[in-house]
Amino acid sequence: MKKILLTIFILFSIITTPYHANAFVRYEEKNPLVRTELHMTGYIDYAPFGWVDNPNAIVYGNFHTVFQPMIDWFIKEANIKMHYDLQQKTFDDLTQKVRQGDIDFLVGAYFETEIFKGLHLLYPAVIYNPITVFMLPNRINEVKSTDDLKKLKGVRNTYEYFSDFVEKKVAELNPVEVDSSYAMFEKLFTREVDYIITSYYYGMIEAIKLGLKKQIAPAKQTLWNIPVFVGVSKTSRHRELISKRLTKYLQDKNNKDIIQKNLQQIINDFEKQHEGVVPPTFGLEKPETIEKQQTSENIDNKLDAK
């Protein structure tokens, strides 16, 4: 009798299991796990670290950043619904929102820098921001150290963010300050200054956008290398979740390699996007005037050497 009852029970279980399994699937489809909602921010006009489609418009458009592989991984790993908070007047305002806890974290923070004071930085750094100089190709060999720059005149874009340490070092060089990349390159090509001091990546992308990549030369050596971090709000109720998951990501060397590959892809994409852009003449009569002036200077330098 017991064997008969056991057999009936097993047969009943086999018959009903698919029903219960299907019922469970339907329940999960109707009741998905609640996604954690997080708010993040970053630079709105500082590629490749952070930029938007239309930084000067009322509606910025999509947010882009070299850190996107990390963000995508985080969204999937922790079941996150990410909100990109960008609509503020300045990056300083956005940073203040993170400090207050209105935004959970930002990408692009620097160590021991006043604007990021009060944020919890996640180690290790995600990437480094190399600061260097751009010059006209025939003059780039004039600079081998910061001491050489003290004899020359430089220019910088005030919209670039450096760490406080680098800001202090740059201030010692007393560069001319402008508020756009166009003005920065204009002063170089019209010989008002001898060099541009900038982030290698940002400066190169800005040169690409203006069609000037082949007409400028970066120094072979980096002057300063700024580590770039994720900065988490200390008042965010999701601080532990963000810190734990992103630290796990950053400790994997393979993930850092992915970020570096994404960096190169971003530069390649900018080159494709701006292929064929006619470079500005900066008030010179013809676009080829710059090249002729450089050739003339080379001849003069050779004659002086003799």
Side-chain angles (χ1 to χ4, degrees):
M1 185 66 181
K2 289 182 179 180
K3 289 184 179 180
I4 295 173
L5 291 174
L6 179 60
T7 301
I8 293 173
F9 175 76
I10 292 172
L11 289 173
F12 179 77
S13 298
I14 293 172
I15 293 171
T16 59
T17 294
Y19 169 79
H20 288 298
N22 289 333
F24 177 76
V25 171
R26 287 196 297 272
Y27 176 82
E28 286 299 311
E29 290 175 349
K30 293 179 181 179
N31 301 276
L33 295 174
V34 177
R35 300 174 69 189
T36 302
E37 296 196 25
L38 294 180
H39 293 257
M40 67 158 289
T41 193
Y43 299 100
I44 64 170
D45 196 13
Y46 194 38
F49 302 101
W51 75 101
V52 293
D53 295 329
N54 305 294
N56 298 318
I58 295 176
V59 179
Y60 287 157
N62 295 325
F63 175 68
H64 311 276
T65 177
V66 70
F67 308 109
Q68 196 61 51
M70 176 186 70
I71 296 169
D72 292 341
W73 176 89
F74 184 35
I75 289 172
K76 183 177 180 180
E77 173 77 6
N79 193 33
I80 300 297
K81 181 178 182 180
M82 194 69 74
H83 300 277
Y84 299 91
D85 292 1
L86 303 164
Q87 298 292 352
Q88 296 291 330
K89 292 181 179 179
T90 67
F91 183 65
D92 297 49
D93 295 330
L94 291 169
T95 305
Q96 180 64 19
K97 290 288 185 181
V98 180
R99 190 176 294 107
Q100 294 171 346
D102 297 327
I103 300 175
D104 297 294
F105 71 101
L106 64 79
V107 288
Y110 296 147
F111 176 68
E112 290 189 350
T113 298
E114 185 66 26
I115 188 176
F116 302 113
K117 186 176 181 180
L119 302 187
H120 174 59
L121 303 187
L122 302 185
Y123 286 79
V126 187
I127 199 170
Y128 284 81
N129 187 13
I131 309 303
T132 188
V133 296
F134 287 177
M135 299 181 74
L136 297 179
N138 63 296
R139 298 194 61 188
I140 194 62
N141 291 330
E142 295 179 30
V143 176
K144 295 180 176 61
S145 69
T146 53
D147 288 335
D148 296 324
L149 296 177
K150 294 176 182 178
K151 308 169 190 175
L152 304 172
K153 188 175 182 180
V155 64
R156 67 161 296 189
N157 186 345
T158 56
Y159 279 86
E160 272 208 81
Y161 280 91
F162 300 150
S163 66
D164 283 356
F165 172 80
V166 172
E167 284 285 358
K168 181 179 178 180
K169 292 296 183 182
V170 169
E172 293 174 358
L173 299 173
N174 195 30
V176 176
E177 295 186 342
V178 295
D179 59 3
S180 72
S181 294
Y182 181 93
M184 184 172 68
F185 284 105
E186 181 179 34
K187 287 190 177 297
L188 178 68
F189 283 102
T190 57
R191 309 307 196 274
E192 293 181 51
V193 300
D194 302 299
Y195 66 88
I196 291 170
I197 189 162
T198 182
S199 159
Y200 173 83
Y201 302 128
Y202 173 75
M204 187 58 67
I205 288 173
E206 292 300 293
I208 289 169
K209 288 160 65 175
L210 289 169
L212 295 171
K213 179 185 176 183
K214 294 181 180 179
Q215 299 183 32
I216 55 95
K220 294 180 180 179
Q221 294 184 340
T222 297
L223 299 177
W224 304 284
N225 220 7
I226 308 174
V228 186
F229 299 89
V230 174
V232 183
S233 172
K234 291 183 177 180
T235 58
S236 169
R237 63 192 182 95
H238 301 295
R239 174 184 171 182
E240 184 176 352
L241 168 66
I242 299 168
S243 301
K244 183 178 180 181
R245 296 301 177 93
L246 292 187
T247 298
K248 174 185 175 182
Y249 179 91
L250 295 172
Q251 288 175 341
D252 188 333
K253 184 183 179 302
N254 291 330
N255 291 331
K256 305 290 278 294
D257 292 340
I258 291 172
I259 296 289
Q260 285 293 335
K261 289 179 181 178
N262 188 45
L263 170 61
Q264 187 57 54
Q265 185 60 52
I266 287 170
I267 295 174
N268 293 342
D269 290 343
F270 270 102
E271 288 184 322
K272 291 179 182 178
Q273 183 181 351
H274 295 88
E275 187 177 7
V277 170
V278 178
T281 61
F282 300 116
L284 303 174
E285 292 182 3
K286 297 179 180 180
E288 61 269 20
T289 302
I290 293 174
E291 184 178 347
K292 288 181 179 179
Q293 286 183 339
Q294 291 174 3
T295 303
S296 177
E297 287 183 1
N298 279 331
I299 294 172
D300 292 340
N301 290 336
K302 290 179 181 179
L303 291 174
D304 290 341
K306 292 181 179 180

